[in-house]
Amino acid sequence: MNEFRAALLQMVAEPTEEANRKKGMEYCRRAKAMGADLALFPEMWSTGYTMDWKPEAMKALATAADGPFVRAFQDLARELEMAIGITYLEQYEPAPRNTLTVFDRFGSPVLTYAKVHTCDFDIESRLTPGDDFYTADLDTAEGPVKIGAMICFDREFPESARILMLKGAEIILVPNACPMELNRLTQLRARAYENMVGIATANYAYGQPDCNGHSTAFDGMAYGEIRPGVVESRDTLILEAGENEGIYLATFPMDKIRTYRKNEVHGNAYRHPAKYRALIEETIREPFVRPDYRP
């Protein structure tokens, strides 16, 4: 396999779910025309990351995983023969979830992931967190790619990408809804570097409340041969959008990424898991105790 092309759909949301369905489908068609293997939406596209503090109102905003909004993108993936990563506020008990479902180019659901690290210091405390991180084999016209997913705030926990790497992820999809500034971009760069994975992040465009575009893609290859026998550090950033709405096509050179992963020192090559027992210690001590923490 030579390349995997991910279209980052950087948009401003519309006022209704139906309007977001129509706009999202239009952007997917444009992504297909650009040659994308997969189109990725920003976080919680069904509502435009709109939520409500009142539980019943929050539930009223949610959409079923097998309902007409999500099915529309399943049907479109099949029609376009292009994978689609659609995001939505999912109907769930006891409270909705912040969810991504990836349909492959045949319209089959290959991965559904609910945000594990909900922002419990804010309105996402009203959501049900996801319970694990998942990977899946995504069939493309050029061959399979092992994908995984994390959503926005998941990025800030090294464990999210590390678990996905350990489960075989080659490309991590990251729907997003926040201002992408220096430190958040640095986090994504670090997750790609330390796990030798590609990371594709789709954010809302400027004009969406508290968002500024800057969707990005990192290929995870921190070193490269600049001429025969000479290897130097390189920037793993392969795409950074500006602030405006648009479709930004990130091309991941899969053959090169796989060769790099077979030979470099990061990822799972030299880890010592038996010495990391403190990572699964559940006690939280000062100065990190927070009254709104949910186990």
Side-chain angles (χ1 to χ4, degrees), residues 70-135:
V70 177
R71 281 205 313 270
F73 291 96
Q74 179 176 21
D75 294 342
L76 185 63
R78 186 183 303 113
E79 174 193 333
L80 298 179
E81 297 184 349
M82 177 188 72
I84 296 176
I86 183 62
T87 57
Y88 53 104
L89 181 63
E90 179 192 3
Q91 289 179 2
Y92 201 81
E93 292 297 336
R97 301 196 304 181
N98 183 342
T99 299
L100 161 74
T101 293
V102 177
F103 296 106
D104 68 13
R105 64 194 178 112
F106 307 108
S108 299
V110 294
L111 184 148
T112 292
Y113 167 71
K115 188 175 186 177
V116 166
H117 298 101
T118 48
C119 298
D120 291 344
F121 48 82
D122 206 334
I123 194 169
E124 285 191 356
S125 63
R126 297 296 192 267
L127 302 181
T128 299
D131 55 8
D132 203 350
F133 294 92
Y134 304 100
T135 59

Side-chain angles (χ1 to χ4, degrees), residues 4-8 10 40 171-174 180 185 188-189 192-193 197-203 214-221 234-241 248-253 257:
F4 174 68
R5 295 167 291 274
L8 311 179
Q10 183 169 290
L40 179 64
I171 303 292
I172 298 176
L173 308 177
V174 190
M180 294 308 295
L185 293 174
L188 291 167
R189 180 180 273 105
Y193 164 76
V197 295
I199 294 184
T201 301
N203 194 32
H214 293 277
S215 299
T216 53
F218 298 86
D219 65 15
M221 296 186 291
R234 60 182 292 276
D235 192 350
T236 63
L237 179 71
I238 58 174
L239 181 149
E240 180 175 355
Y248 299 88
L249 191 66
T251 301
F252 293 91
I257 290 173

Side-chain angles (χ1 to χ4, degrees), residues 174-228:
V174 190
N176 196 80
C178 68
M180 294 308 295
E181 41 73 51
L182 173 65
N183 295 300
R184 291 181 174 122
L185 293 174
T186 299
Q187 288 170 334
L188 291 167
R189 180 180 273 105
R191 301 295 89 83
Y193 164 76
E194 64 205 9
N195 294 295
M196 297 193 290
V197 295
I199 294 184
T201 301
N203 194 32
Y204 286 96
Y206 180 80
Q208 186 79 11
D210 204 33
C211 293
N212 68 339
H214 293 277
S215 299
T216 53
F218 298 86
D219 65 15
M221 296 186 291
Y223 310 102
E225 190 174 66
I226 59 169
R227 57 182 180 274

Side-chain angles (χ1 to χ4, degrees), residues 31-51:
K32 173 64 177 181
M34 294 169 65
D37 296 302
L38 174 142
L40 179 64
F41 282 83
E43 183 177 11
M44 208 185 293
W45 176 248
S46 66
T47 72
Y49 198 74
T50 295
M51 289 173 279

